Amino acid sequence: MNMLAFGAPGPSEWVLILVIVLVLFGAKKLPELARSLGQSMNEFRKAREDFDRELHAAGNEVKGAVGQPYHSAPKQQQYSPAQNPSQATVPAAQRNPPA
């Protein structure tokens, strides 16, 4: 018999574990203990599912961004200040007379 090979407890070990738990906690505390253990497992499962859902959503976001081709920004017209209408109608020779 190899003492180093630990496996899952068999039926006799489970009975022994249950008897020890019953003696330690008492018959009145066992349902409360089982209920709190079940609630804890349920909360853990919900948190794990939320984490998995967020992880998959982030992965799909990255895949979508990688699959789209790169588009450069559209060309914008350069800003040209509005000319003064009085100067625009006057010929250049009249605006700056030669000295």
Side-chain angles (χ1 to χ4, degrees):
M1 179 175 195
N2 190 355
M3 293 300 289
L4 295 177
F6 294 109
S12 59
E13 286 89 6
W14 279 115
V15 169
L16 181 64
I17 291 170
L18 289 175
V19 167
I20 292 172
V21 168
L22 182 62
V23 168
L24 287 176
F25 293 106
K28 291 183 180 180
K29 287 281 188 177
L30 282 182
E32 185 180 320
L33 183 66
R35 188 177 305 115
S36 65
L37 180 65
Q39 288 174 349
S40 299
M41 289 174 61
N42 194 20
E43 289 294 322
F44 179 76
R45 180 185 53 83
K46 285 181 184 177
R48 188 193 65 205
E49 288 174 355
D50 287 344
F51 178 75
D52 286 344
R53 196 174 307 118
E54 289 180 20
L55 189 63
H56 286 295
N60 290 338
E61 253 181 50
V62 170
K63 284 181 184 177
V66 170
Q68 296 175 354
Y70 172 74
H71 296 287
S72 62
K75 299 268 184 191
Q76 294 181 355
Q77 293 179 351
Q78 284 191 330
Y79 173 74
S80 59
Q83 294 180 353
N84 191 348
S86 62
Q87 288 180 352
T89 57
V90 178
Q94 290 177 354
R95 274 188 274 152
N96 296 326

